[in-house]
C-alpha cells in the first residue's frame, strides 16, 4: 500500500494504491491511466517490476506515479518494511 501527493499543473492531488487498486483525485487518476498506456520500458523493483500495464503491480505503479504522473511529489507514505542498514542489492 502506498499514497503519493504531488502537484500537476500547480494543484495538489493524491493517489492511493492498495490491493492492486488505484484510487484518488480524478485529475491524477486520469493522468496515471494515460501514462500507463505509454511505453516506459521496465519500471519497478524486482520481483514486482513490469514492462507493460504498470498499474497492475505495486512496485511499477509506484515508480510510474512518482516519476511520470506528478510534476513534483510533495509527500510519500507506504507500509513497506525498512531495509536493514547493510542490505546489498
Amino acid at each position: 500500500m502506498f499514497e503519493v501527493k504531488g502537484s500537476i499543473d500547480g494543484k495538489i492531488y493524491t493517489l492511493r494504491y492498495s490491493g492492486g487498486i488505484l484510487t484518488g483525485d480524478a485529475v491524477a487518476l486520469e493522468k496515471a491511466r494515460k501514462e500507463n498506456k505509454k511505453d516506459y520500458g521496465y519500471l519497478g523493483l524486482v520481483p514486482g517490476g513490469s514492462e507493460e500495464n504498470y498499474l497492475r503491480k505495486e512496485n511499477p505503479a509506484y515508480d510510474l506515479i512518482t516519476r511520470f504522473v506528478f510534476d513534483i511529489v510533495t509527500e510519500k507514505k507506504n507500509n513497506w518494511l525498512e531495509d536493514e542498514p547493510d542490505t546489498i542489492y
Side-chain angles (χ1 to χ4, degrees):
M1 184 287 301
F2 67 82
E3 179 178 290
V4 179
K5 290 184 181 183
S7 69
I8 300 172
D9 297 329
K11 295 183 180 177
I12 299 294
Y13 300 99
T14 302
L15 288 174
R16 287 172 213 84
Y17 191 93
S18 181
I21 299 171
L22 184 65
T23 60
D25 298 309
V27 171
L29 281 171
E30 181 181 340
K31 186 165 184 193
R33 290 180 183 128
K34 284 182 182 177
E35 294 299 323
N36 188 48
K37 293 179 181 177
K38 296 179 182 178
D39 182 4
Y40 287 110
Y42 183 83
L43 292 179
L45 301 172
V46 175
S50 179
E51 290 187 35
E52 57 185 45
N53 193 4
Y54 305 111
L55 297 177
R56 183 183 302 176
K57 295 183 180 177
E58 190 170 49
N59 285 335
Y62 182 82
D63 207 5
L64 178 80
I65 289 165
T66 57
R67 293 175 58 193
F68 301 109
V69 173
F70 293 110
D71 301 328
I72 298 170
V73 173
T74 59
E75 187 177 330
K76 298 182 276 190
K77 298 180 201 173
N78 62 59
N79 65 349
W80 304 337
L81 299 175
E82 293 291 323
D83 290 333
E84 295 294 322
D86 56 351
T87 300
I88 300 173
Y89 292 97

